[in-house]
Amino acid sequence: MFVIQDSLHAAESPAGRTVFYPEESDRVLANPFMGFAVDAKYDESAQPFRLAHVNLTWRELEPEKGRYAFDAIEEKFNFPLWRQRGVHLIVRVIMDYPRDYAHMDIPDWLYREIGGDGTWYDNEYGKGFSPNYDNSLLIRNHERMISALGRRYNDDPLIAFIQLGSLGHWGEWHTWDKRKATSRFRNGTFPTGTPSTMSGRSRTSIC
């Protein structure tokens, strides 16, 4: 166990081991890979942090089928800055982020490919398009896209985690249709094996 503290004092335990007791402190501890995380788009925080969220839409990640806008994504979310500062990133791909205007967070090419299969909604928390997560074409394309993320970031120490967002509003696994509790999407849309699942290192993995 690692303890970060201003100062420590030691005492001999009955078993002859040296035991350290951390002194009480009001400092905010910026522990790696846990705790407070900021939005990676902004360099603003009133307290220390070691993690930043990269919440990107599939629409901005793959504007053309098979062509990924990694350079634009990394610029938008300040990858060079966080790399320099030793801040690690949590990446989540989102297909439906409710906003105050009608919009779509999947690419136009995917919308056409699935034949518009989904629901345009307008309710108390926002507007947007919720795709049919059971659509087989959407599932196959999603698996391909996640594999591309693995190939790009499998060996990049900047990336802490790739989150299983994707499904539902804000990538939080719930949609406008509260009656639907199950989906084939979660059972068949995330590839297995290295490097596509980024499982080659303990702290860089789809989780």
Side-chain angles (χ1 to χ4, degrees):
M1 180 179 71
F2 294 93
V3 178
I4 303 174
Q5 202 53 263
D6 284 329
S7 58
L8 301 170
H9 64 273
E12 290 296 322
S13 70
R17 297 180 181 179
T18 301
V19 180
F20 290 90
Y21 297 92
E23 294 184 0
E24 184 176 348
S25 172
D26 293 329
R27 291 177 56 220
V28 175
L29 304 181
N31 292 326
F33 307 113
M34 64 183 297
F36 181 68
V38 301
D39 187 330
K41 295 193 301 293
Y42 309 109
D43 182 16
E44 300 174 357
S45 176
Q47 68 182 62
F49 60 92
R50 299 290 294 278
L51 289 172
H53 283 290
V54 176
N55 291 319
L56 59 97
T57 67
W58 191 349
R59 185 180 186 87
E60 59 187 333
L61 175 62
E62 191 180 7
E64 299 178 47
K65 186 173 183 179
R67 297 180 63 119
Y68 298 96
F70 288 123
D71 290 341
I73 291 296
E74 292 172 10
E75 180 180 357
K76 177 178 180 178
F77 290 97
N78 298 309
F79 277 44
L81 174 67
W82 304 131
R83 196 183 302 278
Q84 179 183 8
R85 294 188 181 179
V87 172
H88 297 281
L89 302 180
I90 304 169
V91 178
R92 173 187 293 187
V93 178
I94 297 172
M95 283 195 264
D96 175 16
Y97 198 107
R99 303 181 189 276
D100 59 2
Y101 57 91
H103 73 290
M104 187 168 58
D105 293 309
I106 63 171
D108 289 336
W109 63 262
L110 180 60
Y111 182 79
R112 293 191 297 268
E113 195 165 308
I114 65 176
D117 188 11
T119 301
W120 289 95
Y121 61 87
D122 181 355
N123 52 37
E124 67 275 10
Y125 53 79
K127 304 176 185 179
F129 177 74
S130 177
N132 176 9
Y133 296 98
D134 286 334
N135 187 287
S136 59
L137 290 174
L138 181 143
I139 290 173
R140 288 202 298 271
N141 278 293
H142 184 272
E143 181 174 358
R144 176 182 53 76
M145 178 266 292
I146 292 294
S147 294
L149 278 177
R151 289 190 298 273
R152 178 75 173 192
Y153 296 119
N154 187 58
D155 296 315
D156 191 340
L158 177 66
I159 308 302
F161 311 107
I162 300 289
Q163 287 187 331
L164 297 187
S166 296
L167 192 152
H169 300 323
W170 306 283
E172 294 179 353
W173 290 61
H174 59 88
T175 73
W176 63 276
D177 189 355
K178 298 178 181 178
R179 299 167 299 175
K180 190 169 184 178
T182 61
S183 173
R184 289 192 303 119
F185 179 84
R186 62 183 179 182
N187 295 323
T189 191
F190 298 102
T192 58
T194 304
S196 60
T197 58
M198 303 174 69
S199 59
R201 293 180 291 110
S202 61
R203 64 179 179 79
T204 300
S205 59
I206 287 184
C207 62

